[in-house]
Amino acid sequence: MKEATRQKLTTYSVVSGPFLWTIIFLFIPYMVMFTYSFYLKKFPTFVPAFEFVNYITIVTDPQYFQVLFRTAKIAIIVALSSLLIAYPLSYVLVFKIQSKQLRTALYMAVIVPLWVSYLLRAYTWKTILGSEGVLNSFLVWSGFLDAPTDIFLYNQFSMVVTLTYIFVPFMVMPIYMALEKIPRSMIEASKDLGVGPIRTFLNVTLPLSMPGVIAGATFTICLTFGDFVAAFLVGGPNGAMIATIIQSQFGAALNWPLGAALSIVMLVIVLTIISLSDRLERAGRIDLD
Amino acid sequence: MNLRAGKLLGAVAAIAVSAGLSASAASAGEVNLLTWEGYADESFIKPFEEATGCKVSATYVGSNDDFAPKLAAGGGVYDLVTPSIDATKALIEAGFVSPLDLSKIPRHGEIYEKFRTAEGINHDGEVYGVPFSWGSIPFMYRVDKFDTPPTSLKILWDPSMEGKISLWDDKSALYVASRVIGNMNIYNLSDEELEAAKAKLIEQKPLVRKYWATAGELVDLYAGGEVWISNTWGGYQSSLLADQDIEVKEFIPEEGAEGWMDSWLMVKDSPNEDCVYKFINMATSEQGQCGMSNVNGYSSANPVAAKNCMTPEQFKDLHQDDVEYLDSLLLWENLRDRLENYTNTWNAVKASG
């Protein structure tokens, strides 16, 4: 066998695994879901058809816009609050902590919670934020409050807190990487030219770390968009997210076609976010070489 | 009925009830259940396995909504299912289950007539289900938080209850709101009546602490001091709370309460028919009936068997000889093609605000 042929075969065999995986477990299921979204609900289950009824329902019944809007709102708030926590943290880790061991240890401390079950971490917030929870007990004990308050749990605030806590590592990781890649020489050059620390940050560090910020925001927004566990565990009467509604269409309503149509809408939204962020990142990219 | 504390949405935990094959097996066989956790309890399953040699495996559902999707996903896995009476008709009409041969179920005639003849398990002159258990959806309150015990559903719209109310995250909320409005035909609500129920529930939202989804969650809500009043699965959560020394009391509101009933249905083309009938006969007997009632606190569908194996107190507490009580309950009905309207209305309530 010729060397070139052998190399080609090797390449194919390496690529074919992931390729087949993508086809079988991603592409085909998406196509099945897409097909279902044109089916019609008919008691007791549903019948094949090619109708746009499900999509029309999504557009005309205000409940779906309400939930999509709420989901988007919560996703953006989660991304912003994650950013507010993750950026300063990553900045301190990269630029202020000199000891390499300490830096790695602190970085790991942010990542390690990812190894703990998502459910467990979300559940923990119930015991912290509840009416008889840790936070209320502390506030009453310390005299800030006369009686426990129920404003911490079972509302959108508690959902944002929980989701931010859970998704913060996905914001820290890309920002940390982006900051670490910035050559110190650039910052020193800025200083040498007599530029103050704030302007150096705004004109040099921040623009160079934007790809990390965009990647982090994309992660947190998309992850929040598909979440229904936070709504289930710590969300209140106004906590239903789009994934909650999709879940009920596949379960309680036994309306797989509408559920599939909603899933397709959600998929399109998430893909739009990803491609937008990709463009933003390209546009903002600064060649360091 | 939904049973398991801490179960997440439709998550199902599949476990084999018995660790190994029974050594004294008279005839080898098996029966695979898709059911509520307390319906495959070792206390009555183990003796059954030893007596018949039928090995029992159980997969647990988290809600009545899990049966149809599981069976729709393909057969050959389960032999018996236990949906509630509002979920049976869809399984029958979808062809997921088979009619039963009553000559093989000698004690069928002992079951409450109201249940045996229920529309949901009878179809085209054939019987598809054997009733197993029943109960009500009463309301429940923390005794220490009420000077005068509540008697009406109106309390759920009383501003003084702000932040202390919970309702089951289910279409059942529409049944509750409709009864308060005065629409007692809760299983045949028109679009206008559904809209009225929706408006009533949206009006109530600021007072609601949380819509509860699982038995375990409701228990947590009471235990954590979050909730003082809610609907509940009669007998179940209240006994779990009693274990935690939290005193709650169940009551049937003036506006009435829903009733539920679970039956055993045989999955179509089950290869284990022999064991299936043996299991159904066990479930209908003293062994299964009292086994189920003792584990779950639900009432038995066979009053003859219940009388034989219950203490007089238990028999009375579970309303086993109280036909009037049984008749007062609004027994769940299948909503047929209206189900999606109900579900979407309930979703719209949750989407608002």
Side-chain angles (χ1 to χ4, degrees):
Chain A
M1 213 187 298
K2 274 189 196 160
E3 185 57 29
T5 327
R6 184 175 307 185
Q7 253 184 8
K8 246 186 195 167
L9 272 179
T10 317
T11 313
Y12 284 142
S13 60
V14 168
V15 173
S16 64
F19 184 71
L20 276 177
W21 175 276
T22 314
I23 296 279
I24 295 172
F25 293 109
L26 289 172
F27 186 74
I28 294 177
Y30 282 139
M31 282 301 116
V32 171
M33 199 166 69
F34 190 59
T35 314
Y36 269 36
S37 71
F38 299 105
Y39 282 18
L40 288 179
K41 161 84 190 164
K42 188 171 181 295
F43 180 82
T45 51
F46 41 86
V47 289
F50 186 74
E51 301 276 356
F52 290 84
V53 174
N54 301 310
Y55 291 99
I56 292 168
T57 306
I58 293 170
V59 177
T60 50
D61 187 337
Q63 66 164 295
Y64 302 105
F65 264 122
Q66 283 170 342
V67 173
L68 277 170
F69 179 75
R70 175 190 296 159
T71 309
K73 182 184 85 181
I74 288 177
I76 290 167
I77 296 175
V78 168
L80 286 177
S81 40
S82 303
L83 181 64
L84 283 178
I85 295 167
Y87 203 99
L89 180 71
S90 312
Y91 189 87
V92 168
L93 283 180
V94 174
F95 294 112
K96 300 295 169 193
I97 292 178
Q98 306 300 331
S99 154
K100 199 154 186 264
Q101 282 89 350
L102 182 59
R103 189 191 303 164
T104 314
L106 286 173
Y107 180 69
M108 287 311 288
V110 177
I111 308 301
V112 159
L114 286 180
W115 297 345
V116 179
S117 154
Y118 175 124
L119 278 179
L120 190 65
R121 285 182 293 149
Y123 203 86
T124 309
W125 280 101
K126 281 208 323 192
T127 56
I128 297 173
L129 299 173
S131 297
E132 292 171 8
V134 179
L135 184 59
N136 260 311
S137 305
F138 173 76
L139 290 175
V140 171
W141 172 81
S142 61
F144 274 106
L145 290 178
D146 296 328
T149 171
D150 59 8
I151 61 166
F152 298 128
L153 188 59
Y154 299 131
N155 47 37
Q156 295 183 358
F157 166 77
S158 56
M159 285 169 66
V160 168
V161 169
T162 304
L163 288 167
T164 302
Y165 167 73
I166 287 168
F167 294 146
V168 128
F170 294 98
M171 190 64 106
V172 171
M173 283 187 277
I175 294 178
Y176 180 90
M177 298 299 172
L179 289 174
E180 211 179 28
K181 274 202 305 201
I182 299 175
R184 302 297 162 104
S185 53
M186 309 275 283
I187 293 158
E188 280 157 17
S190 172
K191 274 187 193 151
D192 290 347
L193 292 170
V195 179
I198 293 174
R199 274 189 60 206
T200 300
F201 173 75
L202 290 177
N203 291 339
V204 180
T205 317
L206 186 60
L208 286 173
S209 64
M210 274 321 274
V213 173
I214 292 167
T218 312
F219 277 140
T220 44
I221 288 177
C222 291
L223 286 171
T224 307
F225 228 93
D227 187 87
F228 62 94
V229 176
F232 176 72
L233 285 177
V234 297
N238 292 329
M241 303 273 271
I242 188 65
T244 319
I245 303 297
I246 293 176
Q247 192 262 343
S248 100
Q249 293 301 337
F250 278 98
L254 206 60
N255 193 346
W256 292 12
L258 183 57
L262 281 166
S263 308
I264 294 292
V265 169
M266 194 176 124
L267 188 67
V268 168
I269 293 173
V270 168
L271 288 177
T272 311
I273 295 170
I274 291 174
S275 67
L276 268 181
S277 97
D278 196 42
R279 274 183 198 202
L280 263 177
E281 205 182 328
R282 271 171 216 273
R285 189 172 291 164
I286 298 159
D287 205 348
L288 288 177
D289 296 326
Chain B
M1 280 305 295
N2 199 335
L3 272 181
R4 177 57 181 165
K7 181 159 290 177
L8 186 66
L9 299 176
V12 282
I15 65 144
V17 166
S18 74
L21 276 165
S22 177
S24 63
S27 63
E30 58 174 325
V31 56
N32 303 292
L33 317 176
L34 180 64
T35 188
W36 310 106
E37 190 158 352
Y39 289 4
D41 193 77
E42 229 175 82
S43 60
F44 54 97
I45 295 293
K46 216 166 182 126
F48 169 75
E49 287 186 312
E50 278 160 15
T52 62
C54 296
K55 184 179 158 5
V56 179
S57 303
T59 303
Y60 301 129
V61 289
S63 108
N64 265 312
D65 309 329
D66 292 342
F67 290 104
K70 288 251 165 215
L71 296 182
V77 186
Y78 309 109
D79 302 309
L80 278 169
V81 292
T82 50
S84 301
I85 191 65
D86 59 338
T88 48
K89 204 76 182 186
L91 303 185
I92 295 170
E93 291 197 20
F96 295 155
V97 288
S98 302
L100 294 164
D101 180 357
L102 289 188
S103 69
K104 291 184 185 170
I105 309 168
R107 299 185 70 173
H108 184 258
E110 294 174 2
I111 294 167
Y112 290 106
E113 192 187 354
K114 178 173 176 161
F115 291 157
R116 269 189 287 137
T117 56
E119 193 253 345
I121 49 174
N122 289 275
H123 189 69
D124 286 344
E126 306 248 41
V127 176
Y128 281 80
V130 178
F132 183 53
S133 56
W134 62 282
S136 63
I137 307 290
F139 276 74
M140 163 168 100
Y141 62 95
R142 278 265 299 251
V143 175
D144 56 336
K145 302 294 184 189
F146 289 83
D147 294 331
T148 43
T151 56
S152 162
L153 293 177
K154 292 197 182 72
I155 187 89
L156 302 168
W157 274 262
D158 189 329
S160 69
M161 284 289 112
E162 183 176 353
K164 295 300 169 196
I165 293 169
S166 187
L167 267 189
W168 185 11
D169 186 350
D170 185 87
K171 56 186 177 295
S172 160
L174 297 165
Y175 304 155
V176 173
S178 295
R179 295 207 301 279
V180 169
I181 296 168
N183 294 325
M184 299 306 282
N185 55 330
I186 54 177
Y187 306 117
N188 291 298
L189 296 170
S190 67
D191 286 346
E192 291 73 36
E193 287 165 336
L194 279 177
E195 277 304 307
K198 177 174 130 188
K200 192 79 183 165
L201 287 168
I202 289 175
E203 175 197 330
Q204 185 203 29
K205 273 185 104 174
L207 309 181
V208 174
R209 183 75 172 128
K210 174 103 172 92
Y211 297 124
W212 61 273
T214 64
E217 180 178 23
L218 185 62
V219 168
D220 284 350
L221 285 168
Y222 276 93
E226 306 284 358
V227 160
W228 294 352
I229 186 163
S230 73
N231 49 1
T232 181
W233 297 324
Y236 189 63
Q237 287 99 332
S238 57
S239 69
L240 291 175
L241 283 164
D243 293 342
Q244 298 190 28
D245 291 325
I246 293 164
E247 205 189 336
V248 290
K249 197 166 167 11
E250 291 178 357
F251 69 104
I252 301 284
E254 290 161 10
E255 294 85 352
E258 298 133 56
W260 59 268
M261 185 265 283
D262 291 352
S263 314
W264 291 102
L265 280 77
M266 179 168 69
V267 178
K268 195 175 180 149
D269 299 328
S270 161
N272 304 308
E273 264 198 36
D274 190 36
C275 281
V276 162
Y277 280 101
K278 280 181 183 160
F279 188 92
I280 290 177
N281 282 323
M282 181 279 290
T284 317
S285 73
E286 287 77 7
Q287 186 185 344
Q289 291 286 284
C290 272
M292 179 281 302
S293 289
N294 293 339
V295 171
N296 303 282
Y298 300 149
S299 304
S300 290
N302 181 349
V304 179
K307 183 139 209 162
N308 291 337
C309 60
M310 285 181 187
T311 63
E313 295 82 54
Q314 191 185 14
F315 194 71
K316 187 169 170 293
D317 286 348
L318 293 178
H319 307 280
Q320 297 289 169
D321 60 351
D322 191 351
V323 180
E324 216 170 288
Y325 176 85
L326 182 54
D327 286 338
S328 75
L329 299 177
L330 301 156
L331 195 62
W332 281 351
E333 283 174 28
N334 185 268
L335 303 171
R336 302 191 60 91
D337 52 352
R338 297 288 293 163
L339 172 65
E340 61 175 313
N341 302 67
Y342 276 70
T343 316
N344 290 341
T345 307
W346 174 232
N347 279 341
V349 171
K350 292 194 285 178
S352 79

